[in-house]
Amino acid sequence: MLNAASGGASVQSDDRNGGYRTIVSDLVSLIEHVQASMKLIESAIARESPPGNQEVAANVVVLDDVTPRYVKASAALNTCNAGLGIALHFLLDTKTSKHGTGEFAGSDH
C-alpha cells in the first residue's frame, strides 16, 4: 500500500485511522442498539406486570412464564453492554495514549 508519489507512509496511516474509526463507530452503534433493546425489554416487563391497584380475585392464580425470560435476556444484555463499553474504553484509551486526544475521546460511551 505504499505510494511513492504521495510519500506512502501517510496512506498507510490513513488506512489504520480509517480502520480504527470504523471499529469505534461499530462499537458505539452496537452499544446504542443493545441499550435500545434493554429499554424495549424493560417496557415489555412493565406491560406484562399487573398494575398495583388492580384487585385480583382470591381464587385466581397468575402464572407468569414470560417475565423470567425477559429478565434473563435483560441480564444478558446488561453483560453485553458492559463488555462492549469496556472494549470501547480500551480502544479509546489506547488511541488517546498513543496519539494524544483522539476524535472519539469525548464520547459518552
Side-chain angles (χ1 to χ4, degrees), residues 62-84:
V62 177
L63 298 176
D64 188 359
D65 64 342
V66 176
T67 301
R69 286 185 275 169
Y70 285 144
V71 172
K72 288 178 184 177
S74 181
L77 286 172
N78 277 325
T79 301
C80 182
N81 187 49
L84 289 170

Side-chain angles (χ1 to χ4, degrees), residues 35-96:
Q35 289 173 348
S37 294
M38 290 168 57
K39 288 178 184 175
L40 287 172
I41 289 174
E42 289 170 7
S43 296
I45 290 172
R47 281 191 308 270
E48 295 289 328
S49 51
N53 7 0
Q54 182 181 19
E55 292 183 28
V56 178
N59 60 353
V60 175
V61 177
V62 177
L63 298 176
D64 188 359
D65 64 342
V66 176
T67 301
R69 286 185 275 169
Y70 285 144
V71 172
K72 288 178 184 177
S74 181
L77 286 172
N78 277 325
T79 301
C80 182
N81 187 49
L84 289 170
I86 290 169
L88 181 60
H89 173 75
F90 286 152
L91 280 173
L92 294 176
D93 187 45
T94 301
K95 186 70 171 185
T96 303

